[in-house]
Amino acid sequence: MSLYECVFIARQDLATPQVETLADELNNILTAQGGTVTKREYWGLRNIAYRIKKNRKGHYVLFNVDAPAPAVKEFERQMSINEDVLRYLSVRVEELEEVPSAVMQSKNQRDDRPRRDGDDRPPRREGGYGRDNGYSRSPRPTEGGEA
């Protein structure tokens, strides 16, 4: 059997459990055709580079698939019919990676990074008006002309 990596993007207005149900349905299509899904990763709701059917974001899901070509063809046909799937891409590969994908590794590295100053407040913005940067707005003049 051939090895494939398949990524699909689901609509942004679906809830996460609905995306998981959609992924289960697609998984069942592959298993019914004699294939197996060796790894499944939910990458989360992410920004899309350009609008697709009026969506700016989408739920990304990765499948590592070990299946014959007709099974993948049926898998892709079902995704093209499904209105919840915005885009999909299946690529044949020589071997499947068992480690987490690059997307999941970068997400984990971002979460493990310690805060700079030890607290969990977001960093302060530079510039603008405020007490700490040396700039201040002058009060509006009153009608009598006094400031």
Side-chain angles (χ1 to χ4, degrees):
M1 287 197 271
S2 301
L3 305 174
Y4 297 88
E5 286 185 355
C6 303
V7 176
F8 70 88
I9 306 171
R11 291 182 314 153
Q12 67 184 2
D13 56 343
L14 295 177
T16 305
Q18 291 174 314
V19 175
E20 293 296 326
T21 304
L22 175 64
D24 289 337
E25 292 172 5
L26 295 173
N27 188 356
N28 292 339
I29 291 169
L30 283 169
T31 55
Q33 298 287 324
T36 59
V37 176
T38 59
K39 180 172 72 171
R40 179 167 130 181
E41 290 182 355
Y42 173 69
W43 291 349
L45 185 64
R46 302 172 59 91
N47 288 330
I48 302 175
Y50 53 92
R51 278 192 196 173
I52 302 173
K53 299 179 185 174
K54 299 182 181 178
N55 291 290
R56 292 183 181 271
K57 293 184 176 191
H59 295 274
Y60 283 70
V61 180
L62 167 76
F63 282 165
N64 278 358
V65 177
D66 184 7
V72 175
K73 192 73 170 172
E74 176 64 17
F75 174 68
E76 290 178 340
R77 188 184 77 80
Q78 291 292 331
M79 283 194 288
S80 67
I81 293 172
N82 195 327
E83 63 186 25
D84 291 335
V85 176
L86 299 175
R87 290 282 190 275
Y88 62 89
L89 179 67
S90 300
V91 179
R92 186 167 184 230
V93 294
E94 295 295 321
E95 61 180 307
L96 296 174
E97 297 178 2
E98 295 301 321
V99 297
S101 65
V103 173
M104 294 301 282
Q105 288 176 358
S106 67
K107 188 183 284 189
N108 290 339
Q109 288 175 355
R110 194 172 354 135
D111 294 341
D112 295 341
R113 197 169 34 191
R115 303 293 303 182
R116 247 187 303 174
D117 52 359
D119 63 353
D120 38 8
R121 288 182 297 167
R124 300 173 103 173
R125 286 187 0 182
E126 296 295 324
Y129 294 106
R131 286 180 271 175
D132 299 332
N133 62 4
Y135 297 105
S136 63
R137 290 186 184 180
S138 58
R140 293 186 183 197
T142 59
E143 290 188 22
E146 299 175 19

